[in-house]
Amino acid sequence: MPDISQDAEAVADHYDDLDPIYRNVWGDHVHHGLWTTGSETPSEAVEALVDTVGDRLGLMPGQECVDIGCGYGSTARRLAMTRGVRVTGFTLSAEQADYAAAHSVQGVDILVRDWLANNLSDSSADAAWAIESSEHMVDKPRFFAEAHRVLAPGGRLVVCAWLAETGPSRWKVRHLLEPICREGRLPSMGTREEYEAMATGAGFAVTGYEDVSSRVARTWPICAGRLVKTLLTDRGTRRLALGARNRGAILSIPRLILAYRTGAMRYGIFTLTKAVETAI
């Protein structure tokens, strides 16, 4: 799908502008939930996605980790506390970083910095993850290349990504995928094949992939219900939503529901591994 002009400054403005709405509608975890039995609460489902990422990474106590696009730092905090790892998180949003600082835990450091200019040393991390942040990257090949550079040999990267279906119809592109990208400040939404090509091009081996679209899709009806309730009962949030520079993102929720139902959008979890160097 063709790129829609966005940049890091626009992404930062999006999250700073809509910060109170995101916390009211999404909570501390600004990502999908993952349902297995269907009986999980929304809070249990979002934590299940985090735990799945930790499992895919095979995290061990004492490891140095990177959270690429850490949001409010909730994923970093949970994995630091449950797996005993140390995490450096990256966000473009000063509002998100302020919230993370107010809820800090030992072993987690949150930076307001663009991942594409992260300044981390080569081979300095044991594991990294990007939960619904790669979509915001203007230069996705560089996103993968920087992760490969920063990871030590044998290190793993898990990417949870909003994906476009392979070969979507013109109607789906025009009325669903392109507006979702424009309203959500996503420069582009890649397909599974494009992600795997970029990952292997950066030097990763694709060691796992799972399409969990059917297990995450109910996130959006839940968000829609929360948003309607908030707008009806909270005058301050209603005023903010109507006046926000990025209020178009609110209109994307019905599109996202339809995008999942029509198959225009998929949700994939990639597990990528950096090869271990062998002596010659």
Side-chain angles (χ1 to χ4, degrees):
M1 203 180 70
D3 281 3
I4 295 171
S5 182
Q6 307 283 12
D7 57 22
E9 184 177 348
V11 174
D13 180 69
H14 171 91
Y15 283 105
D16 287 343
D17 185 31
L18 298 177
D19 173 67
I21 296 175
Y22 269 113
R23 282 191 280 113
N24 281 336
V25 174
W26 288 78
D28 289 358
H29 290 272
V30 191
H31 59 71
H32 285 68
L34 181 67
W35 281 264
T36 299
T37 67
S39 62
E40 297 93 341
T41 66
S43 294
E44 290 170 340
V46 294
E47 289 180 350
L49 181 63
V50 174
D51 294 341
T52 295
V53 169
D55 292 342
R56 298 285 192 279
L57 290 166
L59 295 178
M60 301 292 290
Q63 287 186 320
E64 295 288 345
C65 302
V66 179
D67 186 339
I68 305 169
C70 63
Y72 296 111
S74 297
T75 295
R77 289 192 294 274
R78 181 171 179 82
L79 292 178
M81 291 187 292
T82 61
R83 309 295 174 113
V85 297
R86 293 185 293 272
V87 186
T88 301
F90 290 81
T91 178
L92 294 169
S93 167
E95 293 289 342
Q96 290 181 344
D98 287 346
Y99 184 90
H103 298 80
S104 62
V105 300
Q106 187 174 0
V108 175
D109 186 21
I110 304 298
L111 305 176
V112 181
R113 190 179 299 171
D114 187 346
W115 172 249
L116 301 182
N118 59 74
N119 293 329
L120 293 179
S121 301
D122 294 358
S123 301
S124 58
D126 301 298
W129 58 84
I131 302 179
E132 302 173 35
S133 61
S134 61
E135 302 86 338
H136 287 302
M137 303 287 176
V138 173
D139 188 342
K140 288 180 175 57
R142 189 173 167 193
F143 155 75
F144 285 105
E146 280 299 294
H148 189 271
R149 179 186 67 78
V150 167
L151 282 171
R156 288 183 179 180
L157 168 68
V158 167
V159 179
C160 298
W162 300 17
L163 302 171
E165 73 170 323
T166 303
S169 67
R170 186 176 301 175
W171 185 92
K172 289 178 180 178
V173 171
R174 180 176 180 183
H175 296 287
L176 295 175
L177 298 175
E178 285 189 347
I180 287 169
C181 286
R182 183 169 56 251
E183 292 157 0
R185 298 294 182 261
L186 314 178
S188 63
M189 196 186 302
T191 63
R192 172 189 176 178
E193 293 82 2
E194 289 169 342
Y195 264 64
E196 290 183 344
M198 289 185 286
T200 55
F204 283 108
V206 180
T207 49
Y209 175 78
E210 187 177 5
D211 185 321
V212 294
S213 304
S214 63
R215 295 171 58 194
V216 303
R218 65 187 295 186
T219 297
W220 293 105
I222 290 170
C223 284
R226 288 177 176 173
L227 179 62
V228 170
K229 181 179 179 180
T230 301
L231 293 177
L232 290 175
T233 60
D234 187 331
R235 182 180 298 177
T237 300
R238 185 165 62 248
R239 186 183 304 113
L240 174 61
L242 292 173
R245 294 182 298 278
N246 295 274
R247 59 186 176 274
I250 297 170
L251 302 176
S252 267
I253 293 180
R255 292 191 211 274
L256 285 155
I257 293 171
L258 186 58
Y260 274 115
R261 289 181 178 172
T262 61
M265 223 177 99
R266 314 300 301 171
Y267 192 102
I269 302 178
F270 300 86
T271 305
L272 312 170
T273 304
K274 179 174 179 176
V276 176
E277 298 173 351
T278 56
I280 299 176

